Amino acid sequence: MKIRTLIGAALGLGLLASAAQAQTTLRIAMTAADIPRTLGQPDQGFEGNRFTGLTMYDALTAWDLSSADKPSVLIPGLATEWAVDANDKTKWIFKLRSGVKFHDGSAFNADAVVWNVRKVLDREAPHFDASQVGVTASRMPTLRTARKIDDLTVELTTSEPDSFLPINLTNLFMASPAHWAAKLAAVPATVTEAPARAAAAWTAFAADASGTGPWKMVRFVPRERLELAKNDAYWNTARVPKIDRMVLLPIPDANARTAALLSNQVDWAEAPAPDAVPQIRSRGFQLFANQQPHVWPWQFSFVEGSPWLDKRVRQAANLCVNRTDMKQLLNGLMAEAVGSVPPGHPWWGNPDFKIGYRPDEARRMMTAAGHSAQRPLKVKIQVSASGSGQMLPLPMNEYLQQALRECFFDVELDVIEWNTLFTNWRIGAKDPTARGAHAVNITFAAMDPFFAFVRFVDSKMAPPVSNNWGFVNDPEFDRLVAAARTTFDAAARDTALAALHKRIVDETVFLWVAHDVGPRAMSPRVRGFVPPQSWFVDFSPITMN
C-alpha cells in the first residue's frame, strides 16, 4: 500500500497518460525526494546538475557525454576557447560563442557571464542570491571576479593560480539576466527592501526559468514534477532533443521507482532496486550500467577526539569490508573501490597501502590500537535514507555496520534526510548539525582533480569554503595540492595528482567501498541512450518508439 501511495502521489497518472498520447514524452523517476532547484544553480548534489542544470542551462565549459567506451573529457560549452594569461596566471581569457539566445529570446554575451558570476560572488550586486552560493562557490573556490572585455570576450580572475578553473566552471550555469530583471519588475511595490525584492525575483524566476540549454521549462510543481520541452532553437543543432517532452518525478524509494517502471507508469527509473534486476530483465526492460568516476565512501573526521585520528583504525576499517559480498548484495550494480580512482587511472599513483578484504590483519591493527570484541570502538556515521548518487545507502551502511562488528567496531548510524545531509557536508564535523558524527556517508564525483581530491584534503577547503568536512590539516597535503593546482601542463599535472592520490590512500582519508555504475532501468520504448563514463547524461539523442 505504501508503494502505491508513493507512486500515485508522485506521478499524477492521468495527466501523464494524456501528455504521452499527445507527443513523445519521456517520464523519469529520480532518486531525489524533491525537484532540484531550477533557478540556475541546482541543489540535490549532482543529480540536480544532471536534471535541472544541464537540461535547461549551459556553462562556459562542458563534458563530452557522447561515448560509453571512454572517459568524459572537457569540451567547449558557451565558451569556444580559453587560455590563462602567460604573465599572470590568476587571469583567464574566455572567448564566447556568438548567436546564443536565452529561452526568453535575450542574447547571451559577456555581460551575461559577468552577471552570473556576480549572482554568487558579489554581495553588493542587486541580484546576489545567498541561496545559490553554497552549491556554487564551494565548487570553484578560487574564482573571484569577471570582467567584460568585449561582447564575446570575458576575463575571469582567481585568488591564486589555478589550473582547475576551466573544469570547475562546468558547474556555473548561465541564467538570463533579462528574464530575471523582468521578474524583479513584477515584484509588488509593497516589497521595499532590495534583498527581499531580489529574493522574490529569484523565486519567480525558479517557477519560470530561462537558460540557454536544450530543454525549456513548461510546468513546475515543487515536490511533484518538472516538465521540460525541447528547445528547437538550441544553439548546438546536433543536440536539439529528438523527443518533445521530458517529465521529471521525484521518487526516493527504490522499490517505488521500480514498481512504477514495471507498471509502465514511468519509462526510466534511476537506481532500480537490485533484487528486482532479474524481473526487470525477464520482462523485457533494459538495464544500463557503466562504471563512473563516482565514489561511495565514508569520509572520516579528523577533529580533536575523533576515533579516526589513529591511522591503524582507519586502515583496519578498509581491510574489514568484503566488497565482493557487497557487490553480490547489489546484484552486481557496483564496482569495488580501492581508492578514489581505480588502478590504471593516470592519477592512481600506486599507493603503498593496498585496500582489500583482510579481516585478520584488520583485527591485529585494532588490537594494537587497544580495541577488542569486549572493548569495541564506538563510531557514529551520518547517513541518508536515499538521495542523488547514494545508491542504496541504508542497506549498504547496515552491511558495513555488521561487517565492521567483526573487527571490533560498534557503528551507530545517524539517518537524516538527504538534502539536509548534503547541506551539513558544507558546514563540517565541528558544527552541531553533525550531531557528534565521526564520519559522513556522501558519495562524490571524481571526474576532475578538485572534486576527486582537493576539496577533501586541502586545509583551505575546510568549511564553509568547501567539502573538507573532517578538517584534514596536513602541510604535506597542502604542498601536493599546490603543486597540482599550479601545474598547467596536462601530463605534469597528472603526475602531481598521482602523488596526491597516493598519499590520500596511504593516509587513508576515507573508507572506500564502491564506485557507482549508474544503473538505470528503462522501457524497451526508449532508444538512443548512451551510458557515458560520467555522472552526467545527455538526453538529447534519446528517441521513443
Side-chain angles (χ1 to χ4, degrees):
M1 185 64 187
K2 181 180 178 183
I3 290 176
R4 290 178 182 272
T5 302
L6 281 167
I7 297 171
L11 299 184
L13 301 179
L15 290 171
L16 281 176
S18 60
Q21 290 170 3
Q23 53 192 184
T24 53
T25 302
L26 176 68
R27 304 162 298 173
I28 298 178
M30 303 184 297
T31 68
D34 195 2
I35 301 296
R37 298 188 80 197
T38 56
L39 72 180
Q41 299 304 131
D43 62 352
Q44 303 284 348
F46 271 179
E47 187 167 27
N49 281 24
R50 185 194 306 138
F51 285 118
T52 66
L54 295 168
T55 50
M56 294 185 289
Y57 299 93
D58 293 303
L60 295 179
T61 55
W63 294 104
D64 181 357
L65 303 173
S66 63
S67 174
D69 303 321
K70 56 186 180 183
S72 296
V73 295
L74 195 70
I75 59 174
L78 292 176
T80 57
E81 58 183 288
W82 52 88
V84 68
D85 188 314
N87 299 315
D88 183 353
K89 289 187 166 53
T90 66
K91 297 185 184 301
W92 291 78
I93 300 299
F94 284 77
K95 296 290 186 179
L96 306 181
R97 197 174 297 279
S98 63
V100 176
K101 299 288 187 183
F102 287 102
H103 298 155
D104 59 280
S106 61
F108 166 77
N109 52 30
D111 290 322
V113 175
V114 173
W115 187 91
N116 276 279
V117 170
R118 294 186 70 202
K119 75 183 178 186
V120 291
L121 293 184
D122 185 358
R123 293 185 175 275
E124 301 304 315
H127 59 290
F128 175 77
D129 184 13
S131 75
Q132 299 185 57
V133 173
V135 293
T136 311
S138 64
R139 294 172 176 173
M140 51 199 75
T142 66
L143 180 62
R144 289 296 177 265
T145 61
R147 180 175 70 88
K148 174 183 176 179
I149 295 177
D150 59 43
D151 280 349
L152 295 178
T153 311
V154 66
E155 177 190 81
L156 300 183
T157 303
T158 58
S159 59
E160 60 188 88
D162 187 358
S163 64
F164 305 154
L165 181 68
I167 304 173
N168 297 161
L169 289 172
T170 58
N171 300 285
L172 180 61
F173 296 108
M174 297 292 146
S176 168
H179 194 61
W180 184 88
K183 299 301 182 186
L184 179 66
V187 174
T190 52
V191 181
T192 57
E193 295 294 327
R197 291 184 63 81
W202 277 116
T203 299
F205 187 102
D208 178 27
S210 179
T212 64
W215 299 88
K216 299 186 294 185
M217 177 188 288
V218 292
R219 185 172 180 231
F220 175 42
V221 182
R223 304 194 70 83
E224 181 181 322
R225 65 199 296 110
L226 173 64
E227 296 185 19
L228 305 173
K230 70 176 179 178
N231 178 10
D232 286 310
Y234 187 53
W235 58 265
N236 185 348
T237 56
R239 290 193 57 233
V240 173
K242 298 185 185 303
I243 55 176
D244 298 303
R245 289 209 175 200
M246 184 159 62
V247 181
L248 306 177
L249 304 155
I251 307 180
D253 182 83
N255 290 317
R257 289 193 300 276
T258 305
L261 178 75
L262 294 175
S263 59
N264 293 308
Q265 295 173 83
V266 298
D267 310 295
W268 171 317
E270 294 277 288
D275 56 4
V277 167
Q279 185 181 15
I280 289 169
R281 286 177 167 146
S282 68
R283 292 180 55 177
F285 290 86
Q286 307 172 87
L287 185 66
F288 294 92
N290 198 359
Q291 183 167 331
Q292 302 176 344
H294 200 253
V295 187
W296 196 100
W298 282 359
Q299 183 179 352
F300 296 138
S301 168
F302 289 82
V303 303
E304 184 178 357
S306 171
W308 303 111
L309 290 174
D310 189 329
K311 185 163 75 170
R312 295 170 298 182
V313 170
R314 303 195 301 271
Q315 293 188 337
N318 273 278
L319 298 179
C320 200
V321 177
N322 189 331
R323 295 162 181 81
T324 303
D325 272 3
M326 181 173 281
K327 186 172 182 178
Q328 292 175 350
L329 171 72
L330 298 180
N331 236 317
L333 299 181
M334 63 163 268
E336 299 175 32
V338 293
S340 295
V341 296
H345 191 285
W347 304 339
W348 171 242
N350 195 26
D352 295 321
F353 177 56
K354 307 300 181 185
I355 295 172
Y357 180 51
R358 303 193 296 277
D360 289 340
E361 184 178 343
R363 284 187 282 268
R364 286 195 295 271
M365 287 180 167
M366 291 294 284
T367 299
H371 308 291
S372 66
Q374 292 73 36
R375 297 188 305 278
L377 178 63
K378 294 182 179 295
V379 294
K380 183 177 182 179
I381 319 301
Q382 205 164 58
V383 308
S384 64
S386 63
S388 167
Q390 295 295 94
M391 302 173 67
L392 295 181
L394 278 183
M396 293 172 74
N397 278 296
E398 288 167 353
Y399 178 92
L400 292 180
Q401 186 180 45
Q402 295 175 18
L404 292 175
R405 186 176 297 126
E406 300 300 315
C407 296
F408 316 145
F409 289 90
D410 180 4
V411 177
E412 176 188 352
L413 301 179
D414 180 21
V415 184
I416 63 176
E417 189 271 332
W418 158 241
N419 215 36
T420 302
L421 179 63
F422 191 78
T423 299
N424 292 357
W425 196 30
R426 295 192 301 271
I427 302 175
K430 295 178 181 179
D431 193 83
T433 58
R435 304 203 293 209
H438 307 121
V440 65
N441 171 225
I442 297 180
T443 63
F444 64 87
M447 72 282 195
D448 76 70
F450 179 75
F451 280 91
F453 308 143
V454 172
R455 57 181 172 155
F456 302 121
V457 298
D458 186 345
S459 63
K460 293 182 293 187
M461 296 300 108
V465 176
S466 194
N467 299 121
N468 184 352
W469 176 88
F471 292 87
V472 174
N473 189 353
D474 182 328
E476 181 61 12
F477 275 134
D478 292 348
R479 185 190 70 80
L480 291 169
V481 166
R485 192 189 284 281
T486 57
T487 301
F488 290 80
D489 174 76
R493 186 168 61 240
D494 283 349
T495 299
L497 290 167
L500 177 59
H501 182 253
K502 178 183 186 303
R503 181 169 174 81
I504 287 172
V505 175
D506 286 342
E507 290 300 310
T508 326
V509 176
F510 298 96
L511 168 54
W512 288 274
V513 179
H515 294 294
D516 198 355
V517 295
R520 297 177 172 94
M522 300 182 195
S523 162
R525 298 176 58 234
V526 179
R527 291 286 182 265
F529 173 64
V530 175
Q533 293 182 27
S534 172
W535 178 236
F536 306 118
V537 168
D538 186 1
F539 298 102
S540 293
I542 293 172
T543 62
M544 299 282 291
N545 286 350

